[in-house]
Amino acid sequence: MLLGACCVLLMTGAFPLLGVPEIYQSGVMLLLGILTAALALSGALCLARKKISRLIFGCIASFFCIAGLIASYRYGAEAINYASIGGGGWFAAVAMGCYGMMGLLFFGIFGYLLTRFMTRNLWLAIAHLSLGLIALGAYLDFCFEERASLTLATSSTEPTESVITPDGRELALGFGVRAKTFKVSYYPSPYGLYERQGNAWKLIATLEDKDGILHHGEESWDSKLVKTNLGMGDQAYLALPASSSNAMRLITREPATVKNYEANCEISHRKGKYDLVLRVNEPIERQGWGLSLINFKEIGNQTIIQIQARSAPGRLIAMSGMIGLIISIAASCWWRKEDILLPSNSQS
Amino acid sequence: MSLITILTILCLLLQLAAATAALLKREQYCNSLLITGCLIAILLLIANWYAAHAPPFGNMRHVFCFFPLALSAALLLSRKSIPRSFTPYFALASSITLIGALCMPLQSSWRQMPALQSPWFAPHVTSYVLSYGLMLVATLIVLRSFALKGSHKELHLQVADRAVRLAFPFMTFGLWSGALWADAAWGRYWAWDIKEVWSLITWTIYIMYFHSQRQQPEYRRVLLLTAFIALIITFLVVNLLPKVESLHSYAQ
């Protein structure tokens, strides 16, 4: 039960469509969730084997499971935040509890059905069917997919309601989308240590700013000394004259690397308007179109956001095939009686 | 010498010592050395993580350093299906990857680009490392089998087959979870990127191996080796060749 609750909590937190909290972004929590789920599944398979009474108990409890599943789909990791707020938010907290209960019980039912009805040959058949689904989905996408680039400017007040495909056709989205604001965060700028070798400057080390000091071996410099100089452009640098042990060197401040970015978009349609946040790795689906945040460019005071709009009728079929393939291949490879090894005296 | 390099060398020495102890049939020593090696590998992971400020899978050195830990997990997973007499192959595989790590430049800091900040990231890389590690073990066993005769030769192929069967679901997860991730990050699940294509080729050759169960053992051995060559191209060549343009080039 505890394992089931843990796995569901971990996986819910890592659910990508509902806004992923910082801690989950690396996927480590998803990995832990998968590992815990595997442990829960293994435990549940042992529990549910050939016991019909446990199946009945599992069916009664499935009511809680479904309630929890719906609530978690609706709230995701936010449920934990709602619980801390209190009031109406407690619905989500209770649902999370139910969802936690779901873990092992669901695996119990699933495990019972698996042990009773699934054979290795059936799993192999599912694997081949899954490959067929991937091929079918890919073929449908090859024939009917529409893909277009959508460029939104943050200064624009009018929503964009159509896209232009690469071959020049204009396609209606069926809704309007407008970028209201755009947020971008950067990693701290690194510093590059270059050495003059002949006529060229060669990067010999990348330095990090630690409490205002740049270290390289036994040498160190104050990072404030790396600055722009009058008449020398925008590049911040510090020239280190040649010495008996070193050729002429230069420390420059490298351009900052983008850490993450997101666009707050307004979606408008006949029934009204609402806001949603479009992030990298978290596409949105509206009226058959999938919108993915791909890139951005800052020009003056405004930001140009590049979004990919895609209508792919075979996408869900192909994805079901992929998930089916992952599960069925794992089952057919791992779920089999091992042949006796030859020669038998080599076993320990 | 940095702490990461010291830990890498220490882990390498322990793995080599464990392999030697196993070959000399000193099982107790081998187990102790493997456990110590695993603990050092955990420390190495923590040190890399601390230096990178992110899960340490940002460059080839990070990934190579993760192999001994993944292979320790694989050894645990395979304790029922693979006889203990094959433990040296795991230690040897870990040693090979650690030597690989030492050949790579030490780039401790790492800027994790936005597309990599995904929940798919760690499971995708971990499953691939686990599968590649086990496939390396299977290949070493098959290579050894060429020098053997009779039932021992057959035994080696059987054990290699078990290692492949243990690894293949992880490879499948890595490949198709990558497609699911690409769908979220790039808006398409397949981009015909060189790394994707070679991953699919590798996966397909292993599928061919599974479909060749009734073929001659020699044919299956050659097929396993061919699959491993494709795996090496997927894992190393695509990332290390400087002129190859790939959506996966951030893993260089």
Side-chain angles (χ1 to χ4, degrees):
Chain A
M1 179 71 79
L2 186 64
L3 280 175
C6 286
C7 98
V8 171
L9 277 171
L10 289 166
M11 292 178 87
T12 307
F15 197 63
L17 295 177
L18 298 166
V20 188
E22 280 283 310
I23 188 167
Y24 293 109
Q25 285 196 346
S26 66
V28 170
M29 289 298 173
L30 185 64
L31 183 63
L32 284 175
I34 290 168
L35 286 175
T36 327
L39 280 173
L41 178 61
S42 146
L45 281 170
C46 296
L47 275 177
R49 195 165 289 163
K50 294 173 187 171
K51 292 283 180 188
I52 193 80
S53 54
R54 286 174 188 160
L55 177 67
I56 295 165
F57 175 60
C59 289
I60 296 166
S62 62
F63 165 76
F64 293 101
C65 306
I66 293 162
L69 184 66
I70 293 166
S72 296
Y73 184 79
R74 174 70 185 84
Y75 294 106
E78 289 299 310
I80 299 162
N81 296 335
Y82 283 118
S84 63
I85 296 165
W90 275 103
F91 164 72
V94 172
M96 282 302 290
C98 296
Y99 194 27
M101 280 175 65
M102 183 190 83
L104 197 58
L105 294 170
F106 174 76
F107 287 141
I109 299 166
F110 188 59
Y112 177 84
L113 295 174
L114 288 185
T115 48
R116 268 295 170 94
F117 304 113
M118 296 303 283
T119 63
R120 187 168 168 267
N121 284 342
L122 202 50
W123 280 119
L124 283 176
I126 292 174
H128 287 87
L129 179 72
S130 301
L131 268 177
L133 283 177
I134 294 173
L136 175 68
Y139 183 71
L140 283 175
D141 283 348
F142 175 73
C143 295
F144 304 111
E145 184 190 56
E146 297 288 1
R147 190 190 295 271
S149 183
L150 184 63
T151 310
L152 304 177
T154 47
S155 58
S156 172
T157 51
E158 290 300 312
T160 303
E161 293 178 342
S162 62
V163 287
I164 309 284
T165 59
D167 56 2
R169 285 175 297 123
E170 186 173 358
L171 299 171
L173 286 171
F175 59 92
V177 56
R178 180 171 80 86
K180 287 171 79 177
T181 55
F182 186 77
K183 267 200 299 193
V184 56
S185 56
Y186 293 91
Y187 286 106
S189 300
Y191 294 83
L193 177 63
Y194 292 84
E195 191 176 69
R196 182 121 188 154
Q197 293 181 356
N199 290 325
W201 289 97
K202 191 182 176 194
L203 178 70
I204 54 170
T206 304
L207 314 176
E208 275 191 63
D209 187 346
K210 285 182 182 163
D211 303 323
I213 305 290
L214 305 172
H215 295 275
H216 176 63
E218 290 177 356
E219 296 175 286
S220 60
W221 303 273
D222 188 342
S223 63
K224 284 179 190 159
L225 296 173
V226 184
K227 55 189 178 185
T228 52
N229 291 279
L230 205 59
M232 299 299 283
D234 293 334
Q235 177 83 54
Y237 71 93
L238 169 67
L240 304 169
S243 65
S244 55
S245 54
N246 286 309
M248 188 176 175
R249 292 176 300 168
L250 202 64
I251 298 176
T252 62
R253 190 161 193 181
E254 307 288 310
T257 313
V258 173
K259 190 175 183 183
N260 217 333
Y261 51 92
E262 62 181 47
N264 186 14
C265 296
E266 184 185 77
I267 304 288
S268 51
H269 52 94
R270 274 173 291 175
K271 289 179 185 172
K273 294 176 181 176
Y274 58 93
D275 289 358
L276 54 84
V277 181
L278 191 56
R279 298 184 180 93
V280 180
N281 278 319
E282 293 176 43
I284 54 169
E285 295 269 339
R286 290 293 175 276
Q287 301 192 15
W289 286 94
L291 303 181
S292 310
L293 184 58
I294 300 292
N295 210 343
F296 74 96
K297 198 170 189 180
E298 284 173 330
I299 301 171
N301 290 332
Q302 68 169 342
T303 308
I304 307 294
I305 303 159
Q306 193 193 334
I307 293 171
Q308 183 189 257
R310 180 187 178 220
S311 165
R315 178 177 162 268
L316 281 180
I317 297 173
M319 292 208 158
S320 328
M322 289 171 200
I323 294 166
L325 200 58
I326 290 171
I327 296 169
S328 56
I329 283 195
S332 55
C333 279
W334 292 342
W335 193 354
R336 59 183 278 172
K337 274 190 178 173
E338 297 290 4
D339 307 323
I340 296 165
L341 286 172
L342 291 170
S344 55
N345 60 358
S346 294
Q347 285 198 69
S348 50
Chain B
M1 198 184 285
S2 71
L3 175 68
I4 290 171
T5 309
I6 292 168
L7 287 173
T8 312
I9 293 170
L10 192 57
C11 195
L12 171 63
L13 293 175
L14 284 164
Q15 295 292 345
L16 287 173
T20 314
L23 285 173
L24 297 172
K25 308 224 185 279
R26 301 287 174 94
E27 205 171 286
Q28 229 172 355
Y29 285 119
C30 172
N31 287 342
S32 310
L33 287 164
L34 278 177
I35 292 167
T36 319
C38 180
L39 292 175
I40 298 293
I42 293 171
L43 284 179
L44 184 59
L45 178 79
I46 293 168
N48 271 326
W49 199 317
Y50 179 77
H53 306 295
F57 306 123
N59 52 52
M60 293 303 274
R61 183 162 180 147
H62 282 162
V63 175
F64 271 126
C65 286
F66 186 59
F67 270 97
L69 199 55
L71 279 167
S72 303
L75 190 59
L76 273 178
L77 280 174
S78 63
R79 72 188 189 283
K80 277 189 181 170
S81 56
I82 295 180
R84 283 187 192 173
S85 54
F86 285 82
T87 304
Y89 293 99
F90 284 82
L92 193 61
S94 295
S95 309
I96 291 170
T97 58
L98 285 167
I99 292 168
L102 289 169
C103 294
M104 298 287 161
L106 182 65
Q107 299 164 302
S108 53
S109 68
W110 176 42
R111 312 284 189 204
Q112 198 178 18
M113 60 187 286
L116 293 184
Q117 293 167 38
S118 161
W120 286 114
F121 178 57
H124 173 73
V125 180
T126 309
S127 60
Y128 258 132
V129 171
L130 204 51
S131 73
Y132 284 6
L134 276 164
M135 293 302 189
L136 174 59
V137 171
T139 307
L140 291 173
I141 294 172
V142 165
L143 284 173
R144 175 80 180 99
S145 76
F146 280 110
L148 297 170
K149 281 181 182 170
S151 59
H152 281 286
K153 192 168 190 165
E154 182 61 27
L155 170 74
H156 274 65
L157 185 58
Q158 271 187 305
V159 174
D161 183 70
R162 288 185 178 189
V164 171
R165 267 193 280 123
L166 191 62
F168 191 68
F170 291 113
M171 185 182 273
T172 306
F173 179 83
L175 177 65
W176 298 111
S177 69
L180 296 170
W181 178 9
D183 187 74
W186 302 327
R188 52 187 169 175
Y189 49 82
W190 198 262
W192 294 107
D193 176 64
I194 187 166
K195 186 114 177 166
E196 288 176 358
V197 174
W198 271 103
S199 302
L200 187 61
I201 291 169
T202 310
W203 188 81
T204 311
I205 300 175
Y206 278 110
I207 285 281
M208 281 169 66
Y209 168 76
F210 283 118
H211 284 83
S212 70
Q213 297 293 315
R214 289 179 191 167
Q215 302 290 329
Q216 291 293 316
E218 285 307 316
Y219 174 79
R220 294 174 61 209
R221 279 190 191 91
V222 171
L223 208 50
L224 264 187
L225 292 182
T226 314
F228 190 72
I229 291 167
L231 186 153
I232 292 292
I233 295 172
T234 311
F235 182 51
L236 294 178
V237 176
V238 172
N239 283 109
L240 296 181
L241 278 185
K243 291 197 174 171
V244 173
E245 282 186 20
S246 165
L247 289 165
H248 291 77
S249 57
Y250 42 71
Q252 279 174 1

